[in-house]
Amino acid sequence: EQTCPSIRQLDDENVIVIWTSTDQDGSGTNIYAKILEPIGNTQVRADFRVNTTVAGAQNQPHIALLTTGKVMAVWRSVDSSGLNTDIYATLIDPINPGFVPVFKPFTSSELPNQTFRSDLSPQSWTIDTSIFPVANPSLLKFSSEMEDGTLLVGGHWLLFDETTKTFTSNHNDSQLGEHKVIVGVSAGLGVS
């Protein structure tokens, strides 16, 4: 069974198709891709498995064409218990096929919990960008919001400066307690 197809046109007019495939090679649910000529659907590169891990289920693939001509593929991986999920990614070179390492871009557990003292205001905390596995952390783009979707901008008791990656708390007694903050991180990879 093949589901969740996605297609992108490459720089040379060929197209790449990626999908979730169940038992295509007998090892469960995996991510497969192929490269086709746009006219006549002639295969330029036959079906190939994108993921290297076959334990659990690999599904929900997405692809983006990078300005380098390579393709970034990302997908969800669910462990064999069905309880833990991660996002994995790899680069596909449509011209020079070969092994490109699969990597896990980021997980939400990498940012440590922070505590602001109730008797001190304002207080600040800056995200350590070195925890992210990228060659140039200055290319990372950050956004932040409260769990309910409230943006951390002017007028809010907790502010986030995207340039300095710094949270500043100007809290009072009404904000005491535990608050969940969602930090979004993306890399400036030239995705089109």
Side-chain angles (χ1 to χ4, degrees):
E1 177 183 16
Q2 287 138 356
T3 60
C4 302
S6 183
I7 188 169
R8 286 300 300 247
Q9 182 173 353
L10 302 171
D11 288 341
D12 62 1
E13 303 298 320
N14 290 333
V15 295
I16 185 167
V17 182
I18 192 168
W19 65 91
T20 300
S21 188
T22 303
D23 290 327
Q24 183 164 339
D25 64 3
S27 64
T29 304
N30 292 291
I31 306 302
Y32 277 83
K34 72 168 73 177
I35 298 173
L36 301 169
E37 290 181 351
I39 299 173
N41 290 331
T42 304
Q43 287 190 103
V44 175
R45 186 170 171 191
D47 296 8
F48 60 95
R49 192 173 70 214
V50 174
N51 58 286
T52 55
T53 299
V54 294
Q58 319 304 313
N59 54 43
Q60 299 177 355
H62 296 279
I63 50 177
L65 181 62
L66 305 180
T67 56
T68 61
K70 291 187 170 76
V71 175
M72 173 70 72
V74 297
W75 64 93
R76 186 176 81 131
S77 178
V78 183
D79 72 5
S80 56
S81 73
L83 300 175
N84 301 304
T85 62
D86 278 311
I87 302 298
Y88 284 86
T90 192
L91 291 174
I92 299 169
D93 187 338
I95 297 171
N96 301 307
F99 177 75
V100 178
V102 173
F103 60 95
K104 183 167 66 172
F106 310 121
T107 64
S108 60
S109 62
E110 291 185 80
L111 290 179
N113 289 333
Q114 296 300 311
T115 302
F116 290 118
R117 290 179 40 184
S118 61
D119 60 336
L120 296 176
S121 188
Q123 296 174 64
S124 64
W125 173 72
T126 301
I127 295 173
D128 177 7
T129 58
S130 69
I131 66 172
F132 299 104
V134 294
N136 187 353
S138 67
L139 296 177
L140 296 175
K141 306 294 182 204
F142 289 79
S143 63
S144 188
E145 62 187 45
M146 300 301 285
E147 186 175 27
D148 66 3
T150 303
L151 298 178
L152 304 181
V153 293
H156 196 275
W157 65 270
L158 182 61
L159 300 176
F160 180 66
D161 183 323
E162 294 177 22
T163 304
T164 63
K165 287 89 172 153
T166 301
F167 290 92
T168 303
S169 170
N170 287 304
H171 59 273
N172 59 40
D173 288 346
S174 68
Q175 286 94 26
L176 292 180
E178 189 172 303
H179 300 276
K180 184 173 183 180
V181 176
I182 299 168
V183 177
V185 182
S186 61
L189 295 173
V191 176
S192 62

Short mmCIF file of all heavy atoms in Angstrom, two decimals, residues 3 55 63 117 128 150:
data_model
loop_
_atom_site.label_atom_id
_atom_site.label_comp_id
_atom_site.label_asym_id
_atom_site.label_seq_id
_atom_site.Cartn_x
_atom_site.Cartn_y
_atom_site.Cartn_z
N THR A 3 0.79 5.49 0.25
CA THR A 3 -0.04 6.62 0.64
C THR A 3 0.80 7.88 0.80
O THR A 3 2.03 7.83 0.73
CB THR A 3 -0.76 6.33 1.99
OG1 THR A 3 0.24 6.11 2.99
CG2 THR A 3 -1.67 5.12 1.90
N ALA A 55 12.91 0.25 11.97
CA ALA A 55 12.15 -0.10 13.17
C ALA A 55 11.00 0.89 13.33
O ALA A 55 11.16 2.09 13.09
CB ALA A 55 13.04 -0.06 14.40
N ILE A 63 8.62 17.07 1.01
CA ILE A 63 9.87 17.41 0.33
C ILE A 63 9.87 18.88 -0.03
O ILE A 63 8.83 19.50 -0.25
CB ILE A 63 10.10 16.55 -0.94
CG1 ILE A 63 8.86 16.54 -1.85
CG2 ILE A 63 10.53 15.16 -0.58
CD1 ILE A 63 9.05 15.78 -3.14
N ARG A 117 12.47 33.76 39.02
CA ARG A 117 12.14 33.95 40.43
C ARG A 117 11.01 34.96 40.58
O ARG A 117 10.96 35.97 39.88
CB ARG A 117 13.37 34.44 41.20
CG ARG A 117 14.42 33.37 41.33
CD ARG A 117 15.64 33.82 42.06
NE ARG A 117 15.31 34.66 43.21
CZ ARG A 117 16.23 35.24 43.97
NH1 ARG A 117 17.51 35.09 43.69
NH2 ARG A 117 15.88 35.98 44.99
N ASP A 128 20.67 29.02 24.02
CA ASP A 128 22.01 28.64 23.57
C ASP A 128 21.87 27.95 22.22
O ASP A 128 21.47 26.79 22.13
CB ASP A 128 22.64 27.70 24.60
CG ASP A 128 24.01 27.19 24.17
OD1 ASP A 128 24.54 27.65 23.12
OD2 ASP A 128 24.54 26.31 24.86
N THR A 150 -0.83 32.69 22.14
CA THR A 150 -0.54 34.10 22.36
C THR A 150 0.92 34.38 22.00
O THR A 150 1.83 33.73 22.52
CB THR A 150 -0.77 34.49 23.84
OG1 THR A 150 -2.12 34.18 24.19
CG2 THR A 150 -0.51 35.97 24.06
#
